[in-house]
Amino acid sequence: MQRFQCYIDGEFADGEARFESIDPATGAAWAEMPEAREADVDRAVEAAHRALYAGPWAKLTATQRGKLLYRLADLVAENALKLAELETRDTGKIIRETSTQIAYVAEYYRYYAGIADKIEGSYLPIDKPDMEVWLRREPIGVVAMVVPWNSQLFLSAVKIGPALAAGCTMVVKASEDGPAPLLEFARLIHEAGFPAGVVNIITGFGPSCGAALSRHPKVDHIAFTGGPETARHVVRNSAENLASTSLELGGKSPFIVFADADLESAANAQVAGIFAATGQSCVAGSRLIVEKSVKDRFLDILKAKAEAIRIGSPLDMATEVGPLATRRQRDHIEVLVGHSLAAGARLVTGGSAAEGAGYYYRPTILDCDGSASPSLEEEFFGPVLSVLSFETEAQALALANNTRYGLAAGLFTRDLTRAHRLMKGIRAGIVWVNTYRAVSPIAPFGGFGLSGHGREGGMAAALDYTRTKTVWLRTSDDPIPDPFVMR
Ligand code: NAD
């Protein structure tokens, strides 16, 4: 079995305990992971704290930080395939996606490398004649980053990149499910030449490792991606250290299709939105809201596409849908599909586990018209699409906004004025019109409501990893007048 280690204070180390990682394509253990507990967490946070205030990192110029990030970007690009194979092996996410996604992760680091020396302070035109006042932008401090199993390299890059550009130090907690790629990525941090303690990478279980990290007194900010229930624990933990938080949580994103849309193109985007990554995507377009007049035709196209999907080994480039990351995840989906059928949803296709030892589940479509199916509200995080239909634009909008989540939405229509109206009315952090699941380091990403708060990507994300310091400098040589009067 392959063995992985934590990366703490510039050194690779075993955790306080170990656990086995399961290959979701076979259900068999394939690697041993280090389990960080409270003492490891403490060592990692102390190392990040030392690196923030003492040592070489604190003295680097922003341009020098940028150069280290450029080096990291090159190393990610050079090692993309190796990292992709590890992610595929450990999480079941298909190699076809991990290989391209990780190559693109390099672009996130490159983008933030360029931003490092473009984070500017500002000068204030203060209302006092003998004062110069300006704002410095300083790193927000030690950042705890907690990520879920899916796309760990991507979900950490959107945190590590801007945080490094801003000059922060950090402890990254990989998910206990599929941590291999992030632990391997630590070798690239080391090779790129980041000083010891700047980036620490550990893994362990939520209640021990994640909780110890998010309530640690020396953590200043927590950047969390995961489910809303875990986010509540994290926010409660932050009551201990009063750290600020950014939360990227789940979604129940609407995917609206009007009769005038290019149905073939919309169907491909819907497949990308719900069956790519085996549906384990926070932006999964899991609620199809389709105009009644084309519902049957659109479902026929979708059903044919869903049934033609190649299910197989995630390491095979031809595979389109691989296993779910964990048995727990597949069991959750089976139970939720059962409840939805019991509540009156009609099975269009799928609805069962696929044969084989791994955690496979067939691409599934549930027609939920006329039912109170729980699938319309609860996030599956799997390849299950719930379908509703509408007759008017107002109905479409009301159905789209009938959710406590607010992450993403898709809209397919050729009517430009309608697209503009709906784009404004849809309550979501991202609206894709005539496309779906497009991302870029340049474009902010995030939601509101049950989908959390804060944005990742773009310049603003780098500013979110800074705090301002207001500096007052008196330019008069005269003695300070009346000390009992506030000036
Ligand atoms: P999860 O919430 O179970 O776990 C996420 C991380 O939190 C893991 O590293 C886990 O160990 C840690 N954790 C668990 N308990 C903790 C605690 N008490 N204190 C601190 N940390 C703790 O999430 P998951 O099930 O692994 O991932 C799926 C969820 O992530 C879905 O809801 C999905 O939508 C969401 N997600 C959101 C985005 C986004 O960008 N919005 C992206 C991907 C996934």
Side-chain angles (χ1 to χ4, degrees):
M1 279 214 277
Q2 224 168 303
R3 280 173 72 105
F4 290 82
Q5 290 183 302
C6 292
Y7 182 61
I8 299 176
D9 205 8
E11 288 179 2
F12 293 91
D14 292 328
E16 287 161 84
R18 303 194 71 79
F19 64 95
E20 289 184 340
S21 204
I22 307 293
D23 179 343
T26 62
W30 78 282
E32 271 193 356
M33 300 299 168
E35 185 197 336
R37 293 183 184 165
E38 199 149 350
D40 289 322
V41 168
D42 192 52
R43 271 195 319 123
V45 177
E46 288 292 347
H49 194 260
R50 269 195 308 278
L52 182 68
Y53 293 109
W57 179 247
K59 297 192 181 76
L60 289 188
T61 64
T63 308
Q64 287 170 321
R65 287 203 305 273
K67 284 185 179 158
L68 284 172
L69 270 162
Y70 277 122
R71 175 91 188 103
L72 179 62
D74 290 344
L75 286 169
V76 171
E78 284 161 28
N79 289 277
L81 194 56
K82 182 179 178 195
L83 292 169
E85 279 167 2
L86 281 177
E87 180 160 357
T88 294
R89 190 80 203 273
D90 214 12
T91 67
K93 186 164 178 165
I94 59 171
I95 191 80
R96 197 154 146 184
E97 172 148 7
T98 53
S99 53
T100 46
Q101 187 178 53
I102 294 170
Y104 198 45
V105 160
E107 297 307 316
Y108 278 77
Y109 285 111
R110 205 159 278 135
Y111 175 77
Y112 284 109
I115 277 187
D117 58 8
K118 284 145 202 96
I119 298 172
E120 297 174 352
S122 58
Y123 177 81
L124 305 185
I126 208 76
D127 57 343
K128 302 178 198 311
D130 60 348
M131 296 282 190
E132 294 289 306
V133 182
W134 65 95
L135 291 186
R136 286 171 51 80
R137 285 238 172 229
E138 299 188 349
I140 201 168
V142 173
V143 183
M145 300 177 176
V146 180
V147 293
W149 79 75
N150 62 311
S151 313
Q152 300 209 38
L153 289 172
F154 177 75
L155 296 174
S156 56
V158 294
K159 299 171 176 57
I160 298 172
L164 287 174
C168 296
T169 61
M170 59 216 68
V171 178
V172 187
K173 183 205 154 319
S175 170
E176 60 274 43
D177 297 314
L182 204 36
L183 297 175
E184 184 65 23
F185 166 79
R187 303 203 169 272
L188 308 186
I189 291 283
H190 196 73
E191 202 181 328
F194 285 91
V198 173
V199 182
N200 305 274
I201 302 185
I202 59 176
T203 188
F205 295 94
S208 46
C209 179
L213 178 59
S214 50
R215 66 167 179 253
H216 195 287
K218 288 191 176 163
V219 163
D220 300 292
H221 178 78
I222 307 163
F224 173 80
T225 300
E229 209 37 57
T230 315
R232 290 190 177 99
H233 286 292
V234 168
V235 171
R236 278 185 213 112
N237 294 342
S238 76
E240 300 289 322
N241 51 20
L242 296 178
S244 51
T245 55
S246 57
L247 308 172
E248 295 291 347
L249 313 177
K252 196 73 213 178
S253 299
F255 187 103
I256 309 171
V257 178
F258 281 88
D260 70 346
D262 175 340
L263 293 187
E264 180 61 28
S265 176
N268 274 341
Q270 178 65 91
V271 167
I274 190 66
F275 300 136
T278 317
Q280 298 168 111
S281 164
C282 53
V283 292
S286 52
R287 285 187 302 135
L288 168 62
I289 297 167
V290 58
E291 193 160 353
K292 200 165 214 151
S293 59
V294 292
K295 179 185 171 189
D296 289 345
R297 188 145 56 93
F298 193 62
L299 281 191
D300 284 348
I301 301 173
L302 265 186
K303 181 172 186 281
K305 285 187 187 290
E307 288 173 357
I309 283 173
R310 280 189 292 259
I311 302 174
S313 162
L315 282 162
D316 183 343
M317 262 299 181
T319 294
E320 293 167 330
V321 162
L324 293 148
T326 61
R327 177 188 293 275
R328 185 180 76 248
Q329 187 59 15
R330 192 188 59 188
D331 293 350
H332 161 72
I333 289 166
E334 269 182 336
V335 168
L336 197 46
V337 168
H339 287 167
S340 304
L341 294 174
R346 184 180 67 82
L347 190 64
V348 177
T349 187
S352 60
E355 293 94 48
Y359 310 141
Y360 290 91
Y361 198 85
R362 290 181 205 288
T364 296
I365 302 176
L366 300 173
D367 182 350
C368 299
D369 260 340
S371 82
S373 173
S375 68
L376 292 167
E377 282 174 27
E378 279 189 52
E379 187 185 33
F380 275 88
F381 222 56
V384 182
L385 177 67
S386 301
V387 183
L388 288 175
S389 63
F390 66 90
E391 283 177 294
T392 65
E393 186 181 308
Q395 277 174 357
L397 187 60
L399 289 173
N401 287 339
N402 187 21
T403 173
R404 292 181 66 204
Y405 289 100
L407 187 55
L411 170 61
F412 274 76
T413 177
R414 285 177 165 128
D415 181 333
L416 193 59
T417 53
R418 173 159 61 203
H420 274 269
R421 275 195 305 275
L422 281 165
M423 170 275 292
K424 280 192 260 178
I426 290 171
R427 294 200 287 267
I430 309 156
V431 179
W432 286 297
V433 183
N434 293 331
T435 184
Y436 204 80
R437 211 168 172 251
V439 292
S440 161
I442 302 162
F445 179 103
F448 54 83
L450 273 194
S451 298
H453 54 76
R455 293 291 178 270
E456 297 188 319
M459 176 71 182
L463 297 182
D464 286 348
Y465 284 98
T466 67
R467 59 187 173 209
T468 59
K469 179 182 277 172
T470 310
V471 183
W472 291 76
L473 188 146
R474 184 165 174 256
T475 54
S476 167
D477 288 331
D478 296 341
I480 296 211
D482 187 350
F484 298 102
V485 174
M486 201 173 175
R487 300 189 69 227

